[in-house]
């Protein structure tokens, strides 16, 4: 009924969306999450920006040219895509569908704009919005990264002020006040969703059939 990783065999994977303002730490949280939850994969986005120091193509992102990205947009190859501060980012539909069909749960780490695009397609998702403890903490984290100019930090904070109002469009909210605690909350959400009837219906029906097979005349 289930595989060795604790997930029902033959099931279709579930699609999770994790969104948060830039600097909240959503990518770090999900990278930690997939290490502690079996059969959970973080989707690897495509991007037109150049790789930063230490980033690897096919590991951190699929780095492609701006021309190739625009060609994929014209071909409707993205589940969602966005222009973020002058660079394109997108989630490949075929990659995601392949994982879900194989029974793999997938996490999309995308902004609120991307989440809206996915929902508009009528795809069943579980949305989790990650908030920083406060606006001041977010600003401190952005400055601590030491890779953005003052202008870029200001733009990111302006965007964050608009994005935080989107939390009510999501099924869950996690406040990233401390990384380990936030990962534990995310893990609890994933495991709870896996136990819901819609996720376990096929496996449960298989179990129920065994009761019918074992039934017989009373002694």
């Amino acid at each position: 009924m289930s595989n060795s990783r604790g997930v029902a065999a033959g099931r279709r994977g579930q699609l999770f969306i994790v969104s948060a303002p830039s600097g909240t730490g959503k990518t770090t949280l999900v990278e930690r999450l997939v290490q502690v939850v079996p059969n959970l994969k973080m989707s690897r986005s495509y991007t037109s920006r150049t790789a930063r120091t230490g980033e690897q193509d096919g590991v951190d992102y699929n780095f492609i040219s701006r021309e190739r990205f625009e060609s994929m947009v014209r071909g409707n190859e993205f589940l969602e895509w966005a222009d973020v501060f002058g660079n394109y980012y997108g989630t490949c539909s075929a990659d995601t569908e392949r994982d879900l069909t194989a029974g793999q749960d997938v996490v999309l780490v995308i902004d609120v704009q991307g989440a809206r695009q996915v929902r508009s397609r009528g795809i069943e998702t579980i949305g989790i919005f990650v908030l920083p403890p406060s606006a001041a903490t977010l600003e401190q984290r952005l400055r601590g990264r030491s890779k953005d100019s003052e202008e870029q930090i200001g733009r990111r904070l302006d965007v964050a002020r608009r994005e935080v109002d989107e939390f009510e469009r999501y099924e869950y909210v996690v406040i990233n006040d401390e990384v380990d605690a936030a990962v534990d909350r995310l893990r609890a959400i994933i495991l709870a969703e896996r136990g819901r009837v819609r996720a376990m219906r096929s496996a449960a029906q298989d179990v129920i059939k065994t009761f019918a097979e074992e039934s017989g005349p009373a002694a």
Side-chain angles (χ1 to χ4, degrees):
M1 305 303 171
S2 62
N3 61 30
S4 62
R5 298 172 74 80
V7 179
R11 69 189 278 276
R12 178 176 172 81
Q14 298 187 91
L15 186 60
F16 294 87
I17 292 175
V18 173
S19 300
S22 177
T24 302
K26 60 184 180 296
T27 301
T28 297
L29 292 179
V30 175
E31 286 174 344
R32 292 274 295 273
L33 179 68
V34 298
Q35 293 175 3
V36 298
V37 178
N39 202 50
L40 184 67
K41 178 180 181 179
M42 183 170 74
S43 175
R44 184 170 59 246
S45 297
Y46 288 68
T47 182
S48 65
R49 74 164 172 78
T50 56
R52 296 175 181 142
T53 302
E55 290 182 330
Q56 298 180 51
D57 182 35
V59 176
D60 299 285
Y61 288 93
N62 293 312
F63 293 99
I64 60 176
S65 68
R66 193 174 186 87
E67 292 73 23
R68 172 60 180 149
F69 197 105
E70 291 172 347
S71 175
M72 291 179 71
V73 170
R74 290 192 296 271
N76 197 32
E77 296 180 49
F78 288 115
L79 188 62
E80 60 78 31
W81 69 276
D83 184 335
V84 182
F85 302 118
N87 294 304
Y88 292 140
Y89 294 84
T91 303
C92 179
S93 299
D95 293 352
T96 305
E97 180 58 30
R98 181 178 60 250
D99 289 333
L100 295 175
T101 300
Q104 179 91 54
D105 289 336
V106 178
V107 184
L108 304 184
V109 183
I110 56 179
D111 64 11
V112 297
Q113 179 182 340
R116 284 193 220 108
Q117 290 182 50
V118 176
R119 293 192 204 101
S120 72
R121 291 174 173 262
I123 298 170
E124 190 171 276
T125 63
I126 301 105
I128 308 168
F129 197 90
V130 179
L131 283 168
S134 67
T137 300
L138 179 61
E139 181 173 359
Q140 182 180 26
R141 290 176 181 174
L142 286 170
R143 294 186 184 283
R145 297 196 309 187
S146 301
K147 63 181 181 181
D148 292 328
S149 66
E150 281 297 314
E151 181 183 358
Q152 289 173 319
I153 291 172
R155 288 168 60 194
R156 292 184 189 280
L157 289 172
D158 287 341
V159 171
R161 292 185 187 98
R162 297 193 298 271
E163 288 182 336
V164 292
D165 289 334
E166 293 278 323
F167 82 92
E168 293 196 58
R169 295 179 180 270
Y170 292 71
E171 284 70 41
Y172 298 92
V173 173
V174 169
I175 296 176
N176 185 16
D177 48 359
E178 195 277 322
V179 171
D180 288 340
V183 171
D184 284 345
R185 293 171 200 138
L186 289 169
R187 179 177 179 273
I189 291 168
I190 303 298
L191 298 183
E193 285 294 329
R194 285 180 174 177
R196 292 183 66 169
V197 169
R198 69 182 182 189
M200 290 296 295
R201 180 172 282 108
S202 178
Q205 288 171 341
D206 287 344
V207 172
I208 290 166
K209 287 177 185 176
T210 67
F211 283 84
E213 293 165 0
E214 294 296 327
S215 65

